[in-house]
Amino acid sequence: MHYWKGLDSVPTDMAPAVVTIGNFDGVHLGHCEVLDSAVTQAKMRSAKSVAITFDPHPAQVHRPDSAPELIMGLEDRIDTLASVGLDATLMINYTLEFAEQSAEEFVRSIIVEKLNAVAVVVGHDVRFGHGNSGDFDYMRELGTKYGFDVIGVEDVGDKRRLSSTWVREELAAGNVEAAAAILGRPHRMRGEVVHGAARGRELGFPTANLAPESAGIIPADGVYAGWVIDEAEVRWPAAISVGSNPTFEGVSRVVEAHVIDRPEEGYEEFDLYGQQIVVEFISHLRPMVAYRGIEALIEQMNDDVVQARSVLATESH
């Protein structure tokens, strides 16, 4: 997939394209329905499939104090968009100046003139242009005016429409399995491994601590079974702790992953410090609680490892 960072990166001799538009935070199954339709339509028309998306998220620009936390970082969003089979993604730097464009100006200058669209594939709830003044019906009017087809994709979901908001709700409750069902894949965080308080190592459970600025929503406090993926793309089973370490009266929330069943050979040399790793959350094992004494905590941590190993043994990966 081609990744065009900004309008100036779009080829001047752009082939006919089928275009879709969205923030695509999380790239959940509802998004994938739209994206898959765009890819299919492009193949039918011998055109290129192109997704337009934005960074930063428009809500972070218009209402930074109340904008939702992003489900995934930019790198993972681009990688996931590539995985659906798109020919290209156009990333537009979203600014207040950009937001001043009228709905028609956005369509004419970018979708028509820059991307040479022969079709636009969107959900029926699409909004675009200044003040979100453009909607699905207006896109159809502009399609008639500028000569491109508009294909609407129905919402996905039985009792509730699949959405990024729903994913955030499930992660906030620690329901990583439910979030994965909406996303179509496990929720993940990505970040650098940094030094922590080293309490886990002292207790016999060394952990890889994610830096506070890591990308991706931190799920609810608790212990999870999951995977650590290192820079070499090796997947390691892990018991993942999220919280403030109440047994030790911690304050700040941290994400730390204890890799289980590490190779005995070179055990002491198994070092992830400084690496950019991915942590995938598969199953919630228990809430975070404070224990009376170190022995009770160690006993529980041993049990966490046993549970995590059992859960992950059934996971296909």
Side-chain angles (χ1 to χ4, degrees), residues 54-236:
F54 308 96
D55 182 58
H57 191 291
Q60 294 176 320
V61 174
H62 292 291
R63 44 187 180 90
D65 294 336
S66 60
E69 189 175 3
L70 295 183
I71 296 167
M72 58 170 40
L74 179 58
E75 181 179 350
D76 283 310
R77 182 165 31 136
I78 297 303
D79 286 348
T80 310
L81 287 171
S83 73
V84 304
L86 290 165
D87 291 305
T89 290
L90 168 59
M91 180 65 67
I92 293 178
N93 179 32
Y94 193 91
T95 63
L96 289 174
E97 181 182 6
F98 176 82
E100 288 297 314
Q101 288 185 102
S102 69
E104 181 169 1
E105 183 182 1
F106 169 75
V107 169
R108 177 187 54 76
S109 64
I110 298 176
I111 294 178
V112 177
E113 295 178 357
K114 269 289 183 185
L115 296 179
N116 193 20
V118 293
V120 172
V121 178
V122 287
H124 289 279
D125 63 343
V126 67
R127 293 291 184 274
F128 57 97
H130 179 67
N132 281 335
S133 57
D135 59 11
F136 182 78
D137 289 337
Y138 190 48
M139 183 68 83
R140 293 181 67 180
E141 289 181 28
L142 294 174
T144 300
K145 180 175 181 178
Y146 291 107
F148 59 83
D149 296 330
V150 177
I151 296 97
V153 178
E154 299 297 328
D155 289 343
V156 178
D158 296 327
K159 297 181 180 180
R160 180 176 177 180
R161 170 180 171 270
L162 302 188
S163 67
S164 300
T165 298
W166 192 1
V167 174
R168 294 186 189 99
E169 290 173 3
E170 298 294 359
L171 292 175
N175 300 328
V176 294
E177 298 96 333
I182 303 167
L183 291 168
R185 77 196 80 85
H187 174 60
R188 55 169 45 190
M189 294 183 64
R190 182 187 296 271
E192 182 181 352
V193 177
V194 297
H195 290 275
R199 292 196 185 98
R201 182 172 294 277
E202 293 170 3
L203 298 175
F205 297 89
T207 59
N209 292 40
L210 285 183
E213 64 274 13
S214 297
I217 288 181
I218 301 176
D221 288 4
V223 176
Y224 301 83
W227 299 94
V228 165
I229 306 169
D230 64 22
E231 289 182 345
E233 298 295 323
V234 178
R235 297 171 65 88
W236 302 95

